[in-house]
Amino acid sequence: MSKKTALVTGGTGGLGTAICKTLANRGDVVIACHLPHELEQASQWQAQLKQEGIDANIIAGDVGSFDAAASMISTIEAEFGWIDILVNCAGITRDSTLRKMDEKDWDDVINVNLSSVFNVTRHVIEGMTERGYGRIVNISSVNGQRGQFGQTNYSAAKAGMHGFTMSLAQESARKGVTVNTVSPGYIDTSMTAAMPDEIRTSIVAGIPVGRIGEPQDIAHTIGFLTLEQTSYITGANIPVNGGMFMSF
Ligand code: CAA
């Protein structure tokens, strides 16, 4: 299998780190995108991976902005040639019941979680289809599939991601580009750590496999979906949730 170049948005976060490590460990050139004002943390992240024997590149870019995403992709293409694998992993929560949610909580979540997928993919898709190869994975959530008390904004964005996946999968199926969604359940990252303890504990207690997920559980699935050999899987939504939501 030839070496691929992978861009992971939100690459320095909890899930993103595990995904970057998995792709780098199998020999891919990995580029983790981080917010421009988080350069120092991203450099520390890169140094930490280096100590673990893993080479990862970092690039600043606000994926919530169409123009910033365009300039980030141009910079990557100038340095690395092209992008074979795109993992749209950048995401935030602003949990609150709808009656308390303000417009900013809505806009920020839709922008960072959903519009970012358009902003970045729009600048990558043409190159992939021209070259006849691409693997795009959008990281959604179990809560996009089933809803969650306190997450109208997040659940709407995450459900929207899979609509995007299915449409783009149809547009690019004959061009060697697969587009899939992975829907994680509750995973042990800073996002779930920020939840009120008693709510997290009661949700985790209801997970059929009996534990919270590990970032590696998601990274393994991304590794699989971004192989050359998985060219016949497209438009799928793969649940990785410990059995907390099952459907046909
Ligand atoms: N179902 C029904 N009722 C519920 C409820 C639930 N799940 N949770 C709380 N309530 C009730 C409370 O008992 C309370 O009732 P009373 O008013 O009768 O006392 C009422 O709803 C509380 O409503 P409030 O609007 O006052 O809620 P709050 O401000 O106290 O808290 C919240 C709201 C911040 C959203 C809090 O419920 C919360 O943090 N929930 C967790 C949301 C969650 O799961 N987030 C996931 C983060 S991780 C992630 O998103 C990653 C991923 O992809 C899985």
Side-chain angles (χ1 to χ4, degrees), residues 1 20 42 69 83 165 178 180 184 188 197 204:
M1 197 177 68
C20 288
I83 295 165
T165 290
T178 65
N180 290 292
D188 192 10
D197 280 346
V204 171

Side-chain angles (χ1 to χ4, degrees), residues 171-238:
E171 292 178 17
S172 51
R174 287 169 187 267
K175 308 283 182 187
V177 180
T178 65
V179 190
N180 290 292
T181 299
V182 170
S183 288
Y186 282 71
I187 310 295
D188 192 10
T189 63
S190 56
M191 194 178 266
T192 49
M195 294 169 65
D197 280 346
E198 65 287 359
I199 297 179
R200 190 181 55 254
T201 304
S202 84
I203 289 176
V204 171
I207 298 173
V209 302
R211 66 169 174 87
I212 194 165
E214 294 300 329
Q216 203 52 43
D217 292 320
I218 306 305
H220 281 312
T221 312
I222 307 298
F224 172 71
L225 286 172
T226 55
L227 289 170
E228 274 179 23
Q229 294 91 325
T230 45
S231 57
Y232 210 58
I233 303 177
T234 197
N237 186 1
I238 312 290

Side-chain angles (χ1 to χ4, degrees), residues 36-48:
H37 71 268
E38 291 176 355
L39 176 60
E40 201 180 316
Q41 296 98 303
S43 301
Q44 285 167 6
W45 174 90
Q46 187 181 34
Q48 172 61 37

Side-chain angles (χ1 to χ4, degrees), residues 93 95-97 99-100 141-143 148-151 154 184-186 191-192 195-196 199 203:
T93 51
D95 294 352
S96 85
T97 52
R99 64 196 175 90
K100 291 184 186 169
S141 166
V142 65
N143 292 343
Q148 169 62 33
F149 186 101
Q151 288 199 309
Y154 187 84
Y186 282 71
M191 194 178 266
T192 49
M195 294 169 65
I199 297 179
I203 289 176

Side-chain angles (χ1 to χ4, degrees), residues 62-64 90-94 101-116 153-154 157:
D62 179 356
V63 296
I92 57 169
T93 51
R94 296 286 182 270
M101 190 177 289
D102 61 28
E103 194 182 0
K104 184 164 171 28
D105 290 338
W106 175 266
D107 287 345
D108 285 352
V109 168
I110 297 296
N111 193 42
V112 175
N113 296 13
L114 179 59
S115 298
S116 66
N153 49 3
Y154 187 84

